Amino acid sequence: MPAHLVHARPRPQVADAPAGPAAVAVLRTAALPLMGRLPLLAERLMAELAEREPAYRAAIEADPADVRQEIQRSLRHSVGSLLDPARSRAAARACSARIGAERAARGLPLDAVLHAFRLGGALIWQALVDEVTTRHPEDAHLLVHLAADVWSFVDEHCTRVADAYRQAERELTWRRENRRRLMAAALLDGATRIADLPDAAAELELPERGRYAVVLVAGGRGVRQPVPGALRAVWQPGPDVERAIVALGDREPAQLAASYRELTDRTRGVRVGISPAVDGLAAVGAARRLAETALRICPVAGGTVLLDDDLPAALVAAAPALGRLLADRVLGPLLALPPTDRDLLLDTLTVWLDCDGSAQRAAARLYCHRNTVLNRLRRCEQLTGRSLARPSNLVELGLALSAHRMRQS
């Protein structure tokens, strides 16, 4: 605890020996009149808090009646504990814990609450000293035996306040985080009502009318780093897939994809699907569905797929039954070959398409002669009945290959 709080007011010297019956009797005699002066003591403590504790000054200005009631309740329980500890201390402890929890809920700093309790303890002690020295000066020498008990009481209640405050703070943090998780999940699932969008935007610190993309990450728990630091991302963890709402600002999804490709190129098994850009939080649910399609066409071995870059494959993924039918109709004779021949021809056709129809570049990637590539492609044409020179046949073959890859994965 900061020193300026612990020593808010100098403590009196205390005796090593515990207070005896005579000292306890003096304590109770002095405490009894304080019960009738609680409103005056509460006003004095409020004035001292307003002068010395900025956080309480703001609370007093906002709702003086509430602070006054809290102070009076705390002082009443404290003085009651001095008069009859056996019957009153449990209620006093509960009162202190309640104040700690309530002040945590209202966002008052813990240091300020503890400062208030120590100022209250000092106020009660001074009132006891004044009462004894004024009315029973012959008993003043016994005060030194009472100081330890009074300040031990104050310390105990500061501990209870701090414990209750921290427990309430943990619960509030959990509730806030859970509320944020639920709001993010509702946006991603497309379940947020239009009327609730402003609240969701405020809670998640996202612009309601901004540009967004959704990122889905599978096979890599906690892989969040590639989102550029300038972009605001709200993550929603899941058992198999982590989902993120990314506020793009003036960026493009392609920049997100480039960041993630650097990761997936060096981390095997991590699969990332990224949606196109959408406008407004209301469209995040639709973006999530598009990101799921991107993730479905991502290779099993890992990689990053930006849906904008692979829309033909996305069409196949969106209608898997039609995709299977297309693969069987177009590639059926080729797929019926022995596995070695089948895989060789499929790989050659795939690489040739990836190389934009360049047999020379395909040969370099396949480590064979250009004529070997051309011979294999002619065989593909014969088996499928499709000509690689006809654009419509090329579209069919490309979609059929995508459908076959997805079926295999």
Side-chain angles (χ1 to χ4, degrees), residues 211-217 223-235 243-266 270-278 287 291 303-309:
R211 295 172 65 250
Y212 292 96
V214 170
V215 176
L216 303 184
V217 180
V223 180
R224 303 181 179 185
Q225 163 234 338
V227 175
L231 298 183
R232 167 79 176 145
V234 175
W235 285 90
R243 311 188 294 181
I245 304 168
V246 181
L248 292 171
D250 58 358
R251 306 281 188 95
E252 295 300 328
Q255 293 170 275
L256 270 181
S259 297
Y260 273 101
R261 285 192 181 105
E262 292 179 9
L263 171 81
T264 54
D265 285 348
R266 65 176 185 269
V270 177
R271 301 166 58 242
V272 178
I274 302 175
S275 76
V278 296
T304 297
V305 172
L306 173 62
L307 195 68
D308 284 335
D309 293 342

Side-chain angles (χ1 to χ4, degrees), residues 25-241:
V26 168
L27 175 66
R28 292 178 180 173
T29 300
L32 187 58
L34 300 188
M35 278 294 191
R37 299 205 293 271
L38 287 180
L40 177 61
L41 292 173
E43 292 301 323
R44 286 173 56 188
L45 183 54
M46 278 186 69
E48 193 162 2
L49 285 171
E51 178 184 350
R52 301 179 59 181
E53 182 48 66
Y56 261 97
R57 185 185 310 132
I60 291 169
E61 290 173 355
D63 193 347
D66 177 68
V67 177
R68 182 178 294 107
Q69 184 180 25
E70 175 188 289
I71 290 174
Q72 287 185 355
R73 185 170 64 245
S74 179
L75 291 176
R76 183 172 65 253
H77 282 295
S78 297
V79 174
S81 294
L82 299 177
L83 291 170
D84 190 352
R87 294 181 59 183
S88 302
R89 283 207 169 176
R93 290 165 178 162
C95 175
S96 296
R98 178 182 170 187
I99 290 172
E102 289 177 347
R103 287 302 165 187
R106 298 182 188 187
L108 204 71
L110 176 57
D111 284 354
V113 183
L114 295 177
H115 191 190
F117 265 77
R118 294 195 180 281
L119 288 175
L123 179 72
I124 290 175
W125 171 253
Q126 189 59 52
L128 290 170
V129 170
D130 292 345
E131 181 68 22
V132 173
T133 55
T134 302
R135 297 179 179 273
H136 309 283
E138 70 280 2
D139 294 329
H141 66 284
L142 296 174
L143 290 172
V144 70
H145 298 288
L146 300 172
D149 288 345
V150 172
W151 284 101
S152 175
F153 174 86
V154 174
D155 287 342
E156 175 197 353
H157 282 258
C158 282
T159 299
R160 291 187 178 274
V161 166
D163 289 345
Y165 185 103
R166 293 187 182 104
Q167 177 63 29
E169 200 171 39
R170 285 192 294 270
E171 292 176 0
L172 288 168
T173 298
W174 181 87
R175 288 175 187 167
R176 191 177 301 115
E177 289 176 352
N178 192 53
R179 174 178 166 82
R180 289 169 62 86
R181 282 194 297 269
L182 291 173
M183 284 185 164
L187 285 171
L188 287 161
D189 294 337
T192 304
R193 298 182 306 172
I194 296 298
D196 294 334
L197 286 174
D199 288 342
E203 186 69 31
L204 298 175
E205 300 176 38
L206 294 171
E208 184 180 349
R209 302 185 185 282
R211 295 172 65 250
Y212 292 96
V214 170
V215 176
L216 303 184
V217 180
R221 297 287 294 172
V223 180
R224 303 181 179 185
Q225 163 234 338
V227 175
L231 298 183
R232 167 79 176 145
V234 175
W235 285 90
Q236 210 259 334
D240 302 312
V241 176

